[in-house]
Amino acid sequence: MATTWRPGVRGTDGAPPPLPVLPQFPGMRGYTQLRTALTGLGFRHAAELLREPGRQRAAGGVFGTLPKAETDDGFRVLDGLWFPGRGGLWQRVDVPFVRRAREAWQVSADPRALTAAAVTDILETLARDHPMGLRRVVLWELCCLLKDGAAAGTAITADDVAALGVHRSEARLLAAAVDAAFPADGQQRRAAEEFNDIWPSLRLRRAEHVADLLPAAPDDHVLAALIGGLRARSAKVRFRAYAARRSLACGDPRAAAAAWLAALRQATDAPELRAGLLRAATALADAPSAPERDAVRAGTDGRRVGLTWRAPHVPGTRPAAPVTYTVLRFDDDAPEAATEIAVIDVVGPEARLLTAHDPDAPLGRALRYAVLPVRGGRVAGVPHVTAPVLIAPDVAGLTTVPVPGGLRLRWRPHPAATEVRVLRHGMPDVGAAHGPMVVPCSADRALDTALDVGTYTYEVSCGYPGPGGGVAWSSGVRVTARAERWPTPVEKLTAERVEDADDAGDRVLLAWHPPERGRSMLLPWPGGPVAPGSDVSERFARTTGVLAPGGDAPDLRPEAPRPHGRAAPAQYLEVRVPPARRLRMTAVSVLGERAVAGPSVVLESPQQVQDLMVRRLSAGRAEAWFTWPEPAVLVLVSWHDGARGDARHVARSAYKRALGRVELDVPDLACTITVTPVTRPDAVAVPAPPAHADLPALPAPPPPEPPPWRNWWRRWLRPRAHRA
């Protein structure tokens, strides 16, 4: 066949002509929209739209039924788009033909006329751009209709082609060509219809992805030329990316940034190119020779980051297209994961100082911000990159309070912090330097004890989850405090009740040894107990003004020097406990203006039970009244009849709920009821004598009367004696 059929030479051996080469893509931008518009107007393909409305009505039978050979009014499409004209001549569909079809639609009474005329304008543009553009589109539509309309496993016939309006002289060849080479509906066909919308353009990566779905060596010379241009562009971009990496490796970030920028301007949808440009711009911004006037300044306020920069401007010139600035945020070591946070539109050259804000920057990560100038959808220059910005808020309200033996720190951590670190720096008054040392702490406080006297600086930092599972620490807040010399607490306090033959026995002797450092005092302590070693400086100052202290510290003068290794003699204090009182005596160590609590002892002298009265309620039940002996919280109520007895404790709260009555289970015999105050188990008590009350025995019941039937004979004899 190849030796018989040649261009310009008629075949002589009767061999069939070769099959036509079908288009492998529509070859126009916006084909999908054109296809949708034609379908909405009720046209199967563009050739039906190009017939004037009058011609369509005259040829209604041709498009509705299969045309016959002698009256065939179909169009030709294999060697160009042709419609039959007057006198048997063929009219080529060119720009004037399309204009006449549009004018015919504009004056038509068809309800689709205006929309059809608008679609015809699109076809006129296509015919003007390329002489064979309309033929390619119509032929592509015919191939799609034939391939999709054929049943699975059946061949496409010439009648199928003629039914779409194609002249019978081309119907057989077109049917055979579609059967042999045209792809079925699927991914390849959709890629072919989309390819011209993407390429030529700046979306190089998207075009490469679509081109991978098309034939690698297409027979369509137009498609082959487009794919060849795409491959050439891809090779040029790869070479520039390679040159950029080499320049950055050689320590030339300026050349690397220029190469990345040139590559990105040819492939705006390539994320690896943008990441390379940001990496080179970061190295350029960190270089010592970076111009300060082009820098982007970043300021932080909590989690809010503010950016300011100056737009470059050449005096006397205006940009050909408006410039916009895209602000990106990325981790210091991960520019490939950059996030767009703002787009700033610059209306004119008068906008010099520009600002942008990131209201919610992530915590615990070293961030970079880049400002990309964009003009016409392409990056217009090397972006400006900020220095690393770490958003890690510090603690708030850091305070220090001196405590015995050290310092106590308090603060308010940030809610997002996962850890808190306290470092101690300091130089004591005597000895070597301390720090930095880690001080154990909780989320909002720390207690640093066993410190030498001196001035210390504490640095408190918040930790946040960082990249790679690490911890990112805040810059830290510092506070300076001084550890003072504190007195040591009294170690032991003993109490012993003094009993004399001629005394009431309400005296208690207290004994203790003075502390190693400071002077000791024994005070009646108001309020609740305090733990030994607690700071009571303020309470001690208030207490000593109204209470009489006892011990070896009648004043607050500094401690006199004590010989080393010699124990101080014991101190004694005799205290008389008033009746109906509870007294807490606490040992306090004093040194200068500092006071530390020591052990305590509770002295208690309960009141004697008074006004005790008892009475029986019923058999086995009795009740007692008495005045409660303060300050006891329990009393012991017991009874005894000489042979046996019983007792139980009654609480003050239960006594008050019963309105001052205590019910008892008692025997019917006479017994003695005793009420004894019970002192606290941890107190040194001055016992109070118990109160007694006698409960008489239950009276014996009277003897029962005899029944009536026992004296019947007496009543019977009494009348007879009377009669005698």
Side-chain angles (χ1 to χ4, degrees):
M1 182 181 300
T3 58
T4 303
W5 289 90
R6 295 177 182 174
V9 179
R10 185 184 298 275
T12 56
D13 56 358
L19 296 179
V21 177
L22 301 178
Q24 293 180 303
F25 80 123
M28 69 167 290
R29 291 181 181 269
Y31 171 77
T32 304
Q33 292 78 5
L34 175 64
R35 180 71 257 157
T36 303
L38 291 174
T39 303
L41 292 173
F43 298 121
R44 293 176 294 178
H45 47 76
E48 291 185 343
L49 175 67
L50 293 175
R51 284 181 179 270
E52 301 88 339
R55 293 288 302 275
Q56 288 188 12
R57 287 192 296 272
V62 176
F63 279 77
T65 60
L66 296 178
K68 297 180 174 55
E70 61 273 9
T71 59
D72 195 344
D73 196 29
F75 60 89
R76 295 170 57 185
V77 71
L78 293 183
D79 57 350
L81 186 58
W82 301 80
F83 280 100
R86 295 179 181 179
L89 300 178
W90 288 93
Q91 288 184 319
R92 183 175 179 273
V93 179
D94 52 7
V95 175
F97 186 94
V98 178
R99 289 176 179 172
R100 290 193 298 270
R102 181 190 60 194
E103 294 170 357
W105 277 111
Q106 289 175 345
V107 299
S108 173
D110 195 305
R112 305 171 298 172
L114 295 180
T115 306
V119 177
T120 309
D121 285 338
I122 300 175
L123 300 181
E124 179 184 352
T125 303
L126 181 60
R128 187 185 304 111
D129 291 343
H130 196 280
M132 298 296 286
L134 284 175
R135 178 255 181 190
R136 174 181 292 274
V137 170
V138 173
L139 187 55
W140 176 266
E141 291 179 309
L142 293 174
C143 294
C144 293
L145 291 171
L146 292 173
K147 196 69 175 181
D148 297 343
T154 60
I156 301 175
T157 63
D159 293 340
D160 297 334
V161 179
L164 296 176
V166 181
H167 199 273
R168 279 192 172 273
S169 62
E170 297 180 346
R172 182 177 59 83
L173 287 177
L174 182 56
V178 172
D179 244 347
F182 198 78
D185 186 19
Q187 195 174 21
Q188 179 180 347
R189 191 192 295 181
R190 287 190 292 272
E193 295 175 353
E194 184 186 1
F195 184 66
N196 235 146
D197 293 336
I198 301 174
W199 184 257
S201 71
L202 301 178
R203 294 188 294 170
L204 181 64
R205 293 294 180 257
R206 178 59 183 169
E208 291 174 341
H209 174 71
V210 174
D212 291 340
L213 303 175
L214 300 176
D219 297 331
D220 189 334
H221 68 283
V222 179
L223 180 60
L226 288 176
I227 293 180
L230 172 63
R231 291 172 179 168
R233 173 83 65 84
S234 299
K236 185 181 297 185
V237 169
R238 286 195 301 272
F239 174 76
R240 287 176 174 170
Y242 169 77
R245 286 190 289 268
R246 286 293 302 272
S247 298
L248 192 60
C250 294
D252 190 356
R254 189 174 301 278
W260 284 119
L261 177 62
L264 184 60
R265 288 174 61 85
Q266 299 296 321
T268 57
D269 62 340
E272 72 279 4
L273 301 182
R274 190 182 71 172
L277 178 60
L278 293 177
R279 188 174 287 107
T282 300
L284 193 61
D286 293 342
S289 60
E292 186 67 23
R293 61 182 178 84
D294 293 339
V296 180
R297 301 183 181 274
T300 61
D301 182 11
R303 298 189 64 172
R304 180 183 176 90
V305 179
L307 306 172
T308 57
W309 70 95
R310 291 189 175 275
H313 175 61
V314 179
T317 63
R318 296 181 65 91
V323 177
T324 63
Y325 290 90
T326 302
V327 181
L328 302 176
R329 181 187 68 204
F330 58 94
D331 291 345
D332 190 17
D333 55 349
E336 61 277 359
T339 304
E340 180 180 312
I341 63 170
V343 176
I344 308 300
D345 296 326
V346 180
V347 179
E350 65 277 0
R352 303 271 31 93
L353 186 63
L354 304 177
T355 61
H357 299 280
D358 185 7
D360 193 18
L363 298 176
R365 292 157 52 183
L367 304 174
R368 296 267 191 171
Y369 290 87
V371 179
L372 277 73
V374 180
R375 179 186 291 119
R378 305 168 74 178
V379 179
V382 177
H384 299 313
V385 180
T386 66
V389 179
L390 178 63
I391 307 298
D394 282 311
V395 301
L398 177 60
T399 59
T400 60
V401 177
V403 296
L407 296 166
R408 177 183 288 115
L409 291 82
R410 290 181 181 271
W411 60 83
R412 295 190 306 274
H414 192 274
T418 58
E419 296 184 33
V420 177
R421 181 181 64 189
V422 179
L423 297 179
R424 181 182 68 212
H425 309 262
M427 176 72 74
D429 296 343
V430 179
H434 284 213
M437 297 182 63
V438 178
V439 179
C441 66
S442 61
D444 61 349
R445 67 189 64 189
L447 180 62
D448 194 9
T449 58
L451 292 178
D452 295 331
V453 176
T455 301
Y456 298 88
T457 299
Y458 292 89
E459 179 182 315
V460 183
S461 306
C462 287
Y464 302 88
V471 179
W473 295 99
S474 64
S475 57
V477 178
R478 292 199 171 199
V479 64
T480 300
R482 180 173 178 81
E484 303 289 348
R485 183 179 297 276
W486 287 76
T488 56
V490 174
E491 295 183 358
K492 186 178 181 181
L493 175 64
T494 61
E496 182 180 358
R497 190 163 60 89
V498 179
E499 296 184 5
D500 294 334
D502 56 348
D503 197 5
D506 58 352
R507 292 179 299 121
V508 177
L509 182 63
L510 304 175
W512 73 98
H513 282 275
E516 295 182 2
R517 185 170 59 247
R519 300 178 182 272
S520 61
M521 301 183 69
L522 198 62
L523 297 176
W525 198 255
V530 292
S534 301
D535 177 18
V536 293
S537 302
E538 295 183 3
R539 293 183 62 180
F540 172 76
R542 295 194 305 266
T543 303
T544 53
V546 296
L547 298 179
D552 66 338
D555 54 27
L556 301 181
R557 291 176 299 177
E559 175 191 17
R562 180 175 299 163
H564 180 71
R566 182 181 302 176
Q571 301 290 325
Y572 300 94
L573 179 66
E574 190 174 278
V575 178
R576 184 179 298 274
V577 185
R581 289 287 303 278
R582 180 186 296 121
L583 186 63
R584 180 183 299 276
M585 300 297 293
T586 300
V588 179
S589 301
V590 183
L591 180 63
E593 298 180 356
R594 306 293 180 182
V596 176
S600 299
V601 64
V602 177
L603 309 178
E604 189 172 284
S605 177
Q607 186 181 12
Q608 183 179 2
V609 176
Q610 298 177 359
D611 305 326
L612 176 61
M613 294 183 294
V614 296
R615 72 183 181 94
R616 289 187 179 273
L617 297 176
S618 62
R621 297 291 295 171
E623 64 179 2
W625 299 275
F626 54 90
T627 301
W628 188 267
E630 297 293 344
V633 295
L634 289 175
V635 295
L636 181 66
V637 181
S638 62
W639 61 266
H640 199 276
D641 61 359
R644 57 194 180 96
D646 193 10
R648 69 183 179 94
H649 287 93
V650 178
R652 179 167 50 188
S653 58
Y655 178 79
K656 290 184 177 181
R657 284 198 304 269
L659 303 179
R661 299 169 58 252
V662 178
E663 293 190 7
L664 303 170
D665 294 330
V666 295
D668 295 342
L669 302 177
C671 62
T672 300
I673 295 179
T674 304
V675 179
T676 305
V678 179
T679 58
R680 289 175 43 157
D682 60 339
V684 177
V686 177
H692 305 280
D694 294 331
L695 183 67
L698 188 69
E705 294 184 0
W709 57 268
R710 296 186 59 182
N711 295 326
W712 65 271
W713 58 277
R714 294 180 183 273
R715 291 194 301 270
W716 182 76
L717 292 176
R718 188 178 300 152
R720 308 186 82 186
H722 178 71
R723 287 196 299 269

